[in-house]
C-alpha cells in the first residue's frame, strides 16, 4: 500500500504550480480568493476545474501503480514524482496512461472479436417522429426527467456544466439536446450512465465513420453534411457530441437536416457503435480525431 509520505510527495509534485491561498485568511476571505483564482485561471473556471480533476486523476493512477504496478520500484517512483513536477512531464505521463489504456482496450476488443463473428450493433433507439418534428419546428420541451438526472450527477455539478442555463432544452426518450447560440450539444443517457469521459473519442469516431467513409456493409455512403455545420468533441460541454453552425439562428434547412438525418438516422447508429466495446473503428477514422 502507498504510504502517507508517498501520497504527500505525489500531491506536492502535482500541485506545486497551482495557486494556493495565503495563510491566515478568514473562511470568507479564503472563499473569495479561491473564486478569484478560478476566474483568473487561463481559460477560466471550467479550465481550472478540469485541471484539478485531471491532476486528481493522475494522483489516483500514480498511487495505484505505487501499490500494484511498476512504481513499486523506488527508483521508478522517484523518477515519476520528478516528472510530475512540470506541465511537460505531466502531459507525457498522461499521454502514456492514455496510450496504455488504448492498448488494453484494443487488445480486449480483438480478443472479444476473436470469440464471435463481427456484427454491426443494432441502433440504440428509434427516434420518435413527433419529437423530431417538434425539434425541427423549434419548439423546445424544456427540462425533463433525463435532464434532471444528468444535472444531479456529481461530476456535472463539480464541473458546473449548466451553471448558465442553455437557450433551450429539447428532451427525447433517449436523452436531450441543449440548444445554445451557435449550435446544439447532444446528451445521450446511456452514454453518460456508462461514464461520458470514455466515449468522447468513440462518438467522434462514429461521426467520422458516418460522414467520411462508406459504411461497413458497403451498400451506401454516409449522408452529406450541410455546408456550415461542423462537429466538435463533446468534452468541453461534457456531452456526447456538439454540432455547430456558422449562422444563428440556424438556417432552417440545417435544422431540418439535424432532425431528419442526424437525430433520426445517424445518432442511433453512432451511439450504438460508441457503446459497443467490441466495435473496432477503422484506424484511419480514429486518426482523423
Amino acid at each position: 500500500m502507498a504510504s502517507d509520505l508517498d501520497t504527500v510527495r505525489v500531491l506536492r509534485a502535482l500541485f506545486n504550480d497551482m495557486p494556493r491561498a495565503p495563510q491566515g485568511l478568514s473562511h470568507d476571505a479564503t472563499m473569495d480568493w479561491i473564486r478569484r483564482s478560478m476566474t483568473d485561471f487561463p481559460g477560466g473556471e471550467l479550465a481550472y476545474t478540469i485541471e484539478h480533476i485531471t491532476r486528481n486523476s493522475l494522483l489516483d493512477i500514480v498511487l495505484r501503480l505505487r501499490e500494484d504496478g511498476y512504481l513499486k520500484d523506488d527508483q521508478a517512483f522517484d523518477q515519476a514524482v520528478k516528472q510530475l513536477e512540470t506541465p511537460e512531464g505531466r502531459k507525457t505521463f498522461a499521454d502514456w496512461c492514455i496510450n496504455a489504456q488504448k492498448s488494453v482496450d484494443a487488445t480486449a476488443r480483438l480478443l472479444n472479436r476473436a470469440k464471435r463473428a463481427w456484427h454491426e450493433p443494432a441502433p440504440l433507439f428509434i427516434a420518435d417522429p413527433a419529437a423530431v418534428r417538434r425539434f425541427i419546428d423549434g419548439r423546445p420541451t424544456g427540462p425533463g426527467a433525463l435532464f434532471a438526472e444528468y444535472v444531479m450527477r456529481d461530476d456535472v455539478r463539480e464541473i458546473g456544466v449548466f451553471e448558465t442555463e442553455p437557450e433551450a432544452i429539447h428532451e427525447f426518450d433517449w436523452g436531450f439536446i441543449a440548444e445554445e447560440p451557435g449550435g446544439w450539444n447532444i446528451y445521450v443517457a446511456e452514454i453518460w450512465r456508462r461514464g461520458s469521459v470514455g466515449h468522447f473519442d468513440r462518438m467522434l469516431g462514429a461521426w467520422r465513420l458516418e460522414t467520411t467513409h462508406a459504411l461497413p456493409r458497403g451498400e451506401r455512403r454516409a449522408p452529406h453534411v450541410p455546408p456550415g455545420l461542423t462537429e466538435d468533441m463533446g468534452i468541453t460541454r461534457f456531452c456526447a457530441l456538439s454540432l455547430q453552425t456558422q449562422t444563428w439562428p440556424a438556417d432552417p434547412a440545417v435544422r431540418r437536416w439535424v432532425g431528419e438525418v442526424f437525430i433520426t438516422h445517424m445518432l442511433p447508429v453512432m451511439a450504438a457503435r460508441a457503446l459497443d466495446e467490441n466495435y473496432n473503428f477503422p484506424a484511419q477514422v480514429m486518426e482523423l480525431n
Side-chain angles (χ1 to χ4, degrees), residues 10 13-14 53-67 69-73 75-102:
V10 179
L14 283 170
I53 292 173
T54 301
R55 297 196 195 195
N56 278 297
S57 297
L58 289 175
L59 172 66
D60 291 339
I61 291 170
V62 172
L63 294 181
R64 177 59 63 87
L65 291 173
R66 179 61 166 163
E67 293 177 6
Y70 81 99
L71 294 184
K72 290 166 68 175
D73 178 81
Q75 184 175 358
F77 179 68
D78 290 342
Q79 291 174 348
V81 171
K82 186 69 175 174
Q83 182 180 19
L84 294 171
E85 291 177 353
T86 65
E88 296 78 13
R90 287 190 292 273
K91 183 179 185 308
T92 299
F93 187 86
D95 288 344
W96 174 85
C97 293
I98 292 169
N99 289 328
Q101 186 60 51
K102 284 182 177 180

Side-chain angles (χ1 to χ4, degrees), residues 119-237:
H119 70 284
E120 181 73 19
L124 183 66
F125 59 86
I126 297 175
D128 177 3
V132 171
R133 172 48 55 188
R134 190 168 55 237
F135 170 84
I136 294 172
D137 292 342
R139 294 183 286 120
T141 61
L146 291 177
F147 179 83
E149 173 190 326
Y150 180 78
V151 298
M152 288 302 295
R153 288 174 57 94
D154 289 340
D155 50 0
V156 172
R157 288 190 291 178
E158 184 174 4
I159 294 174
V161 177
F162 286 114
E163 284 184 346
T164 302
E165 188 170 330
E167 184 171 291
I169 295 290
H170 302 268
E171 186 151 322
F172 302 82
D173 55 5
W174 47 264
F176 63 91
I177 293 178
E179 183 169 309
E180 297 179 333
W184 303 275
N185 301 314
I186 295 90
Y187 296 83
V188 180
E190 284 305 306
I191 289 180
W192 80 60
R193 289 167 183 163
R194 298 197 202 182
S196 296
V197 173
H199 295 93
F200 294 134
D201 278 339
R202 291 183 63 78
M203 276 299 291
L204 195 55
W207 167 272
R208 297 292 192 188
L209 183 61
E210 283 286 301
T211 57
T212 63
H213 287 72
L215 298 180
R217 292 184 296 275
E219 74 275 17
R220 66 180 178 88
R221 283 195 172 270
H224 177 66
V225 179
L229 185 69
T230 57
E231 83 289 352
D232 191 21
M233 186 179 288
I235 191 169
T236 57
R237 297 302 298 163

Side-chain angles (χ1 to χ4, degrees), residues 226 250-258:
D251 185 320
V254 173
R255 191 179 194 100
R256 185 170 60 252
W257 184 93
V258 172

Side-chain angles (χ1 to χ4, degrees), residues 109 113 118 120-121 199 201-210 216 269-287 289:
R109 287 195 296 271
R113 288 178 64 188
W118 181 87
E120 181 73 19
H199 295 93
D201 278 339
R202 291 183 63 78
M203 276 299 291
L204 195 55
W207 167 272
R208 297 292 192 188
L209 183 61
E210 283 286 301
V269 175
M270 288 169 53
R273 289 173 178 157
L275 288 167
D276 186 346
E277 296 301 328
N278 298 323
Y279 193 90
N280 215 14
F281 291 99
Q284 61 269 35
V285 170
M286 301 311 289
E287 286 169 2
N289 299 343

